Amino acid sequence: MKFIFLLSIIFFNIKYLQSSPLVNIDWLSKNICKESIKVIEVGKSLNSYKVEHINCSIYTNFYKDKWRIKKNNVPYSLPDHNHIKRLVESFGIKENDTLVLYPKRNDKYAIAEVTSIYFTLKFIGHNSIYILDGGFYDFKKKYPFKIDEGPMQMIKKSNYKLNINTSIIANFEDVKENIKNNKVLVDSRENDFFHGINKLKNFQEYGTIRGATNIPSMWNLENRGLKFNNLSVLKKIYKIKNIDGKNDHPIFFCYAGIESSINWFVSSEILKHEKSRLYEPSLYEWLERDQEFFVK
C-alpha cells in the first residue's frame, strides 16, 4: 500500500508539472531541495538573496549575468549559442533538470526578466521549466520556515548539450511575412507607447509597427503583481482583441524583447498557442531596418 501511495504522489507531481508552466507555492514547498529540481531566484541584489531566499535556491541577476547582451546596436539581445551554453553550465544546469524560476521583488520588469530567462531555456531545448506563480513573498508568507539566509551554495559546473528550438523565435523577415499575410502582430508595451503618446526616453521615434495590435504585458498579471491572471481572464484578453491564437500565428514585440516575453509566455506556454513567436530584437531593430512600416 505504501508503495502504491508513493507511486500516486509521483504520478500526481508529473501530471501537475505537465499541465502548466506555472507551479504554485504548495507544490514548491514539497519539492525544494531535491537533487533533480533546481530553484533559481531571479533578482537584482545578491545581498537581498543572502538576507533571505527559498531553501536550496541559487541566484541569478538577469543583467549582470548577461542573459541578454548588446548586439548590433540592439540592447538586451539574445546572446549567441556558445554564450548561453557557458551561462547555463555555470549554474550547473543539466538537460534533465527540472527548473523553477521565481522573481524576488515586484518591480516593473520582475516577471519580464523571469519570462525572458524561461524563453532562453526553451530556446536551447530545455523541456522542464516552470515559474513560481506569486513569487518569493507569497511563498515566504505561507512557508516562512522554508526560507534560508547566507551565501549561495557552491555550484559544480555542468556540461550542457544544446538542442536549439528556432520555432519560438521570429526574425525581421518573419514579421514582414505576418504583415503581408494579415497575421497577428502584438505590441506588448503600455497603451500610451503603442499610440505614440509617449516613448522610451532614449528611443528615437514614437509609434509602433504598422498593422500591430496592442496587448500591454501587464494585463497578464493579477493587479500587475507577480501572479498570473487565471485562465479565463487570459482567454478574455484574446477575445477582446479578436485574436485566434491557434490560427493567427501571433508574433510579439516591444522595445527590446523583454516585456514581450510575458505575452509570448502566456500565449505559447499557458494558452498553448503553438505558433506563437517572439520577435526578440523588437523595435530597436525594426526602426533601423524598415521605417516605411513604422506608424508615428
Side-chain angles (χ1 to χ4, degrees):
M1 287 295 292
K2 186 177 180 181
F3 177 71
I4 294 172
F5 176 71
L6 288 172
L7 278 179
S8 67
I9 292 175
I10 293 169
F11 177 77
F12 172 78
N13 281 339
I14 292 171
K15 188 177 180 182
Y16 176 86
L17 284 174
Q18 288 177 341
S19 66
S20 172
L22 301 172
V23 295
N24 62 41
I25 58 177
D26 295 325
W27 183 91
L28 186 59
S29 72
K30 296 179 178 71
N31 289 280
I32 54 175
C33 300
K34 291 183 177 178
E35 188 178 348
S36 62
I37 296 177
K38 284 188 171 62
V39 181
I40 304 173
E41 175 174 309
V42 181
K44 292 185 176 69
S45 167
L46 183 57
N47 284 334
S48 172
Y49 170 87
K50 289 177 179 177
V51 169
E52 54 180 2
H53 55 264
I54 294 174
N55 287 359
C56 301
S57 65
I58 58 178
Y59 170 82
T60 189
N61 183 306
F62 180 77
Y63 305 97
K64 289 183 178 179
D65 288 332
K66 297 184 178 179
W67 288 95
R68 293 294 183 277
I69 61 171
K70 188 172 184 179
K71 188 167 62 176
N72 300 327
N73 293 320
V74 177
Y76 307 122
S77 296
L78 192 67
D80 63 43
H81 300 174
N82 287 332
H83 178 109
I84 299 172
K85 175 178 167 67
R86 290 193 298 270
L87 180 58
V88 167
E89 289 175 344
S90 73
F91 289 102
I93 295 171
K94 301 169 187 170
E95 290 95 328
N96 295 326
D97 284 341
T98 292
L99 307 178
V100 180
L101 309 168
Y102 74 86
K104 187 65 171 285
R105 297 188 180 279
N106 185 22
D107 59 36
K108 184 177 179 182
Y109 295 108
I111 285 291
E113 290 155 13
V114 172
T115 52
S116 291
I117 293 175
Y118 182 106
F119 179 86
T120 305
L121 295 166
K122 184 94 173 180
F123 175 67
I124 64 170
H126 204 89
N127 292 318
S128 188
I129 327 158
Y130 303 90
I131 293 174
L132 176 62
D133 203 21
F136 174 78
Y137 286 103
D138 273 9
F139 185 90
K140 179 187 174 184
K141 197 180 298 181
K142 188 166 184 180
Y143 297 104
F145 52 93
K146 295 196 175 186
I147 300 298
D148 204 352
E149 62 180 27
M152 188 163 64
Q153 60 190 339
M154 291 292 292
I155 298 173
K156 184 180 178 181
K157 185 179 175 181
S158 63
N159 183 17
Y160 195 98
K161 184 179 179 181
L162 304 183
N163 183 23
I164 300 300
N165 174 14
T166 58
S167 69
I168 61 172
I169 198 162
N171 59 29
F172 176 81
E173 296 301 331
D174 294 326
V175 176
K176 295 200 80 168
E177 193 69 17
N178 259 36
I179 295 171
K180 178 183 176 182
N181 295 322
N182 292 316
K183 296 293 184 181
V184 171
L185 191 60
V186 179
D187 187 332
S188 303
R189 299 171 302 156
E190 291 298 317
N191 199 249
D192 56 334
F193 288 170
F194 172 74
H195 286 292
I197 296 166
N198 291 311
K199 69 176 181 67
L200 195 66
K201 184 178 179 181
N202 296 318
F203 194 70
Q204 185 179 343
E205 294 286 356
Y206 292 84
T208 190
I209 299 173
R210 185 173 298 158
T213 189
N214 181 221
I215 300 179
S217 60
M218 289 294 107
W219 284 14
N220 298 296
L221 305 176
E222 189 177 288
N223 300 321
R224 295 177 175 254
L226 299 179
K227 189 175 180 62
F228 284 84
N229 274 313
N230 65 47
L231 197 59
S232 63
V233 173
L234 298 175
K235 287 180 178 179
K236 183 180 179 181
I237 292 170
Y238 281 75
K239 187 175 181 180
I240 290 170
K241 290 294 181 176
N242 197 29
I243 297 174
D244 178 353
K246 290 188 181 298
N247 297 308
D248 285 338
H249 303 179
I251 293 176
F252 301 92
F253 70 93
C254 53
Y255 278 117
I258 307 299
E259 291 174 85
S260 47
S261 70
I262 300 176
N263 268 334
W264 169 84
F265 175 79
V266 168
S267 179
S268 173
E269 307 300 279
I270 297 180
L271 297 177
K272 309 298 183 186
H273 300 154
E274 294 180 359
K275 299 293 185 180
S276 300
R277 289 176 291 173
L278 179 64
Y279 177 38
E280 227 268 333
S282 286
L283 289 179
Y284 270 98
E285 180 188 65
W286 187 266
L287 190 61
E288 282 192 2
R289 296 191 60 179
D290 198 335
Q291 292 193 23
E292 179 186 347
F293 280 91
F294 204 83
V295 182
K296 301 178 184 179

